[in-house]
Amino acid sequence: MVKNKKKLSIIIPSYNEINNLKILLKKANKILSENKDIEIIIVDNGSTDGSKNYLYNNKKFFPRIKVVRVQKNIGYGFGIKYGLKFATGKIVSWTHADLQFEIKDIMKFLNKNYNNIIKHNLVVKGRRQNRPFLDIFFTRSMSGIVNFIFGSQIQVINGQPKMFNKILVKKILKFCPNDFSLDLFLLLFASKNDLTIKEFP
């Protein structure tokens, strides 16, 4: 039985993001200082750019952030799966380490949806806005192809963050892929199992 169970676990896989780590850690520390029942798990996903040494040498400056390491990079999905093994939150979430998404906004998602995620089978995801035309075209084309093949109605597959009740983790870990298709897998899993997918900009 896991002790000191948290309200939310945020998983952030990081692969060769040493240039972003200083800012990321600062933002993560701020969130943790304001929210005692939140945990943030940074997964050094087999980085080769010095991230490992940076994270461990500076651990004293962010003692509340969990840092775990994958020895060899297998893929984005594997990094998230590895981080989920250390999560104690009733709700789990993941997002990227590249700073394209403000991790503090995860708290807005949580506060608006906490009760519904706990009580119901709800998957919450972000929807990227104000993007270049080519990015929008590519995203919509990819979603269209996926929806045609699988008979789903999924939008903005890779929009961050993803958030859901931890009770789904065992089912997801059993079958989910190790690469970037993990986001797609989660949404297809939700769609095929009649879970509600809720988007926020």
Side-chain angles (χ1 to χ4, degrees), residues 44-149:
D44 177 19
N45 202 10
S47 298
T48 58
D49 64 348
S51 292
K52 173 186 175 182
N53 290 336
Y54 181 85
L55 286 167
Y56 285 98
N57 289 341
N58 290 280
K59 178 65 178 172
K60 62 183 178 181
F61 298 114
F62 49 91
R64 287 194 58 210
I65 299 175
K66 290 185 181 180
V67 176
V68 297
R69 175 171 168 79
V70 174
Q71 294 301 318
K72 181 180 180 181
N73 182 271
I74 298 175
Y76 161 80
F78 185 85
I80 291 175
K81 287 162 61 176
Y82 189 74
L84 286 172
K85 295 178 181 180
F86 297 88
T88 67
K90 296 178 181 178
I91 294 175
V92 295
S93 177
W94 68 66
T95 190
H96 300 162
D98 58 11
L99 303 178
Q100 292 188 40
F101 173 80
E102 281 287 348
I103 56 174
K104 68 178 181 180
D105 287 342
I106 292 178
M107 303 312 302
K108 296 177 184 178
F109 284 55
L110 178 71
N111 293 334
K112 288 180 179 179
N113 298 280
Y114 181 79
N115 289 332
N116 285 332
I117 295 175
I118 290 295
K119 294 178 182 178
H120 306 289
N121 291 327
L122 176 67
V123 174
V124 175
K125 65 179 290 294
R127 183 179 70 246
R128 291 177 286 188
Q129 293 187 314
N130 303 318
R131 304 174 66 210
F133 172 77
L134 287 178
D135 288 352
I136 295 174
F137 176 77
F138 175 78
T139 297
R140 288 182 177 176
S141 298
M142 184 169 64
S143 297
I145 293 170
V146 167
N147 291 332
F148 176 77
I149 294 173

